[in-house]
Amino acid sequence: MTLPQELLRLGERPLLVLCDYDGTLAPIVARPEEAWPEPGAREALERLLAHPRHCAAVLTGRRATEVHAFLNLPDFSVIGLHGMEWPGEAAAPPDTDAVRRITAQLPDVPGLRLEDKGWTLAVHYREVPELLQAGVEARLAEIALPVGWELMAGKKVREFRPGGFGKGRAVQRLARRFPNHLPVFLGDDVTDEEAFEALRGEDGLTIKVGDGPTLAEHQVEGPGQVVALLERWADLTPLQ
Ligand SMILES: O=P(O)(O)OC[C@H]1O[C@H](O[C@H]2O[C@H](CO)[C@@H](O)[C@H](O)[C@H]2O)[C@H](O)[C@@H](O)[C@@H]1O
């Protein structure tokens, strides 16, 4: 896939570059703790961070501390837990009772991995035998949710989280905080579709990473092409 030319020529307004982490800045790997950034991603983000006009942030389903550990850019803004966790803001206390009630209903299947993030619970089934995966998806969909909670689908993962958050709301909040910037969101997964939809209403630019159906206007191949775009944008001097 060649890079869409119009994405290389953004030059009018300063950019607000918002990136998802897994699948966008880092290739998808079997073990979440081994999701190191794509070569060049850290350096490109560092250049955007130092840029006099552009702004950038990572918007992830992970805890922000995990992404910081991968990127080692302490001053970079990371919004974690699908928009529940904001830099400099105390998150509401986690509902540990809800997480406990969901955990108690999980099926006992070999290879199922729990990622308890405190505020949300991700259940990974990438390492469950292939033949059992559809059954696991169905069992997870049957779990009785605590009031106000929702189930989100992702790449070989189902995540239980409180409602009222999400990347759509998060990109909207950021776009409105930087009204003179062109908001750009890059993401690869189902949860990123909320952000693509929200940015349509904010006159933003949306880029899906990888193939598959999407609400995004543009598509790129994978994290390697994301790095190429970030490098290019870090070189731009906006006209406005
Ligand atoms: O919003 P993101 O930054 O993309 O985070 C979404 C989830 O990413 C992680 O899981 C995914 O990536 C793993 C590593 O490549 C992969 O093993 C897993 O199958 C994927 O679903 C992370 O573990 C989750 O907590 C995030 O919500």
Side-chain angles (χ1 to χ4, degrees):
M1 200 184 289
T2 51
L3 275 171
Q5 287 304 301
E6 58 269 41
L7 296 183
L8 300 171
R9 284 197 224 104
L10 302 175
E12 291 286 324
R13 291 161 65 188
L15 303 176
L16 170 63
V17 181
L18 306 172
C19 295
D20 164 59
Y21 185 73
D22 292 275
T24 298
L25 290 172
I28 293 291
V29 292
R31 297 184 158 262
E33 62 277 19
E34 292 171 3
W36 295 101
E38 176 77 9
R42 181 186 180 282
E43 293 71 19
L45 293 178
E46 193 170 30
R47 289 184 56 213
L48 283 170
L49 182 64
H51 195 282
R53 307 286 309 284
H54 300 325
C55 292
V58 170
L59 184 44
T60 176
R62 290 183 183 255
R63 293 291 313 269
T65 48
E66 282 185 66
V67 170
H68 275 298
F70 283 128
L71 291 176
N72 190 24
L73 292 172
D75 294 334
F76 204 87
S77 293
V78 178
I79 294 113
L81 296 173
H82 308 279
M84 294 177 75
E85 202 182 21
W86 287 77
E89 289 180 19
D95 186 346
T96 47
D97 184 53
V99 171
R100 190 187 46 74
R101 278 184 282 142
I102 294 165
T103 308
Q105 299 177 66
L106 293 175
D108 183 12
V109 181
L112 203 66
R113 280 164 63 102
L114 301 194
E115 193 188 351
D116 183 350
K117 307 183 197 177
W119 284 260
T120 71
L121 181 71
V123 184
H124 293 270
Y125 56 91
R126 187 173 290 280
E127 294 181 305
V128 168
E130 189 93 36
L131 272 176
L132 302 181
Q133 291 189 2
V136 167
E137 287 175 0
R139 298 274 301 276
L140 295 176
E142 282 165 6
I143 285 178
L145 296 175
V147 174
W149 280 58
E150 60 192 12
L151 176 62
M152 294 298 299
K155 288 186 168 166
K156 306 279 183 186
V157 69
R158 292 293 180 269
E159 186 150 359
F160 297 88
R161 71 181 194 191
F165 299 93
K167 292 186 181 182
R169 285 180 165 89
V171 293
Q172 231 162 24
R173 180 175 162 181
L174 286 161
R176 289 173 190 179
R177 189 187 286 176
F178 296 94
N180 297 323
H181 287 60
L182 172 66
V184 182
F185 182 74
L186 303 101
D188 72 308
D189 208 348
V190 182
T191 53
D192 301 317
E193 294 294 321
E194 299 174 61
F196 296 145
E197 188 171 13
L199 271 199
R200 281 180 164 183
E202 302 293 330
D203 191 23
L205 193 71
T206 51
I207 304 170
K208 158 102 174 166
V209 183
D211 48 22
T214 181
L215 295 172
E217 298 155 81
H218 301 282
Q219 237 159 329
V220 299
E221 219 161 61
Q225 288 198 331
V226 172
V227 171
L229 286 175
L230 298 180
E231 284 170 345
R232 170 73 182 193
W233 296 338
D235 286 335
L236 293 177
T237 304
L239 296 175
Q240 287 180 17

